[in-house]
Amino acid sequence: MADLERITSQPEAYERVQDLAEKGFSEIPSAYIRPLEERPTISESIALQDIPVIDLSSETSPDLSAKVGLACREWGFFQVLNHGVPLELLERMRHIGAQFFAMSLEDKLVYACKDTGSAPEGYGSRMLVKEEQVLDWRDYIDHHTLPITRRNPERWPAHPPEYRKTVEEYSNETNKLARRLLQLISESLGLEPSVIEDAIGEPSQNITINYYPPCPQPHLTLGLQAHSDMGAITLLLQDDVAGLQVYKDHEWFTVQPLPDAFVVNLGDMLQIVSNDKYKSVEHRAVVNRDRPRMSVATFYDPSKSRYISPASALLENNHPALFRSVLFGEHVSAWYYTGPDGKKNIESLVIEG
């Protein structure tokens, strides 16, 4: 109990959740306990909901864009199959992630985040920069992968030997998929395929491998707090353990993992570019007592120096701009330094009528 009390009062001394979980405590430190209104209930934790599933190989482009548009309007989330990313590459990404988190804490800490700013590259646990926060029951390793000028494989783990090559290949393949999806989303809005890509500009891509250890009190905490993604589009590769939850119609639904599928969700910047026709959606991760969960999130975002505003082709007399232009770097800073707090950061950009 003395060890638990020390962790409770000084959680920064135990910054890695996996290490904490492996100590075998029956209670989690208070630093990880969410307020009552944020805790998952039993019914939420077991309820599964089928978000739309789209087969990218089976339809012509107009049919595909219509299906994508419907999924964007109704959910802001969907899963894609036959997406063109080689299945053996998906398996290699899962393998290198499992190998990394099987390493000793000492070996993993060689790759610890060195930067204290927003979205630092490396191995860490804290998502937000601010000091006063409820911690997530999650560890991660983040890789800066695009543009190429940000990509430095020497900062990534050298074990297993194929780690760096696999992340580079995965970056290139998911970039192609993200661009294809943005083209379909653009077409679904009645725009030329390139409009959203052009609005985003040269993309900034991060790839984050998330690890959610088993938790002795999963009803008190979250693997990842509720938030909407700040960028354009996110591609999530899951394992077979359910944990992703999506907020819809004032309820939380757990997304059923599909083998070798990507979960696709829209970010805040796409909501702005679409002038609120499509919306980013709050989501979170829950944990369980018995099994670890791993996922790989690929974020396709604007550069921090890019100003984002509603696409001019969507603006008319009867449809004025609903959001003011925002420098993406400022949106990122607000998100990390003040916390997501639902969708308050994008809501602050709404032009009052």
Side-chain angles (χ1 to χ4, degrees), residues 34 38-48 136-138 211-215 217-226 238-239 241-246 252-255 283-289 291-295:
R34 311 296 310 183
E38 296 180 13
R39 297 176 193 174
T41 66
I42 294 175
S43 60
E44 289 169 353
S45 297
I46 63 175
L48 298 177
D136 295 323
W137 196 261
R138 174 191 74 135
Y211 184 81
Y212 303 93
C215 178
Q217 295 178 300
H219 59 291
L220 296 181
T221 191
L222 289 170
L224 192 59
Q225 63 191 276
Q238 301 196 86
D239 62 11
V241 179
L244 171 65
Q245 291 192 331
V246 178
W252 287 101
F253 296 99
T254 303
V255 176
H283 53 285
R284 67 186 186 183
V286 297
V287 292
N288 68 83
R289 290 179 181 273
R291 297 184 63 190
R293 174 174 175 259
M294 192 173 68
S295 67

Side-chain angles (χ1 to χ4, degrees), residues 82-282:
N82 296 313
H83 38 66
V85 180
L87 300 188
E88 60 84 22
L89 179 56
L90 305 187
E91 188 56 38
R92 278 194 281 139
M93 274 301 291
R94 295 189 188 101
H95 174 72
I96 65 168
Q99 289 290 301
F100 176 77
F101 285 104
M103 292 165 58
S104 69
L105 177 62
E106 181 181 11
D107 288 341
K108 290 196 290 283
L109 286 174
V110 171
Y111 303 100
C113 299
K114 304 289 194 299
D115 185 3
T116 58
S118 57
E121 186 170 37
Y123 170 54
S125 291
R126 292 191 175 210
M127 180 168 71
L128 303 179
V129 175
K130 65 178 185 177
E131 284 301 318
E132 293 187 8
Q133 58 176 299
V134 179
L135 301 179
D136 295 323
W137 196 261
R138 174 191 74 135
D139 292 335
Y140 64 84
I141 181 165
D142 186 69
H143 314 78
H144 294 176
T145 45
L146 287 177
I148 296 296
T149 52
R150 295 176 73 228
R151 183 187 291 182
N152 184 356
E154 294 298 317
R155 298 187 184 128
W156 307 342
H159 176 81
E162 67 273 18
Y163 191 108
R164 295 170 178 175
K165 180 175 182 291
T166 298
V167 173
E168 288 191 272
E169 289 181 28
Y170 192 80
S171 167
N172 296 336
E173 291 293 333
T174 52
N175 182 49
K176 289 190 288 188
L177 176 59
R179 293 182 61 189
R180 183 185 179 196
L181 290 167
L182 289 179
Q183 290 168 5
L184 289 167
I185 293 170
S186 192
E187 289 177 341
S188 75
L189 289 165
L191 305 173
E192 291 297 316
S194 64
V195 168
I196 294 180
E197 275 192 276
D198 292 343
I200 299 303
E202 183 179 38
S204 177
Q205 183 197 66
N206 283 26
I207 295 175
T208 304
I209 304 175
N210 302 298
Y211 184 81
Y212 303 93
C215 178
Q217 295 178 300
H219 59 291
L220 296 181
T221 191
L222 289 170
L224 192 59
Q225 63 191 276
H227 65 285
S228 62
D229 288 350
M230 68 190 83
I233 193 171
T234 303
L235 308 178
L236 184 75
L237 176 66
Q238 301 196 86
D239 62 11
D240 62 345
V241 179
L244 171 65
Q245 291 192 331
V246 178
Y247 193 63
K248 177 178 168 60
D249 299 331
H250 308 291
E251 291 186 73
W252 287 101
F253 296 99
T254 303
V255 176
Q256 177 64 57
L258 293 179
D260 298 323
F262 280 103
V263 179
V264 181
N265 69 276
L266 311 184
D268 293 346
M269 295 302 102
L270 201 144
Q271 180 171 345
I272 291 175
V273 173
S274 75
N275 203 35
D276 214 38
K277 293 183 183 295
Y278 298 157
K279 293 177 172 60
S280 60
V281 176
E282 282 187 81

Side-chain angles (χ1 to χ4, degrees), residues 117-119 200 204 230-231 269 301-308 325-337 345 349:
S118 57
I200 299 303
S204 177
M230 68 190 83
M269 295 302 102
D301 299 338
S303 74
K304 290 184 179 180
S305 61
R306 187 80 171 183
Y307 279 90
I308 301 297
S325 177
V326 61
L327 181 66
F328 183 61
E330 292 181 353
H331 187 69
V332 171
S333 293
W335 199 99
Y336 277 105
Y337 282 88
N345 290 313
L349 302 174

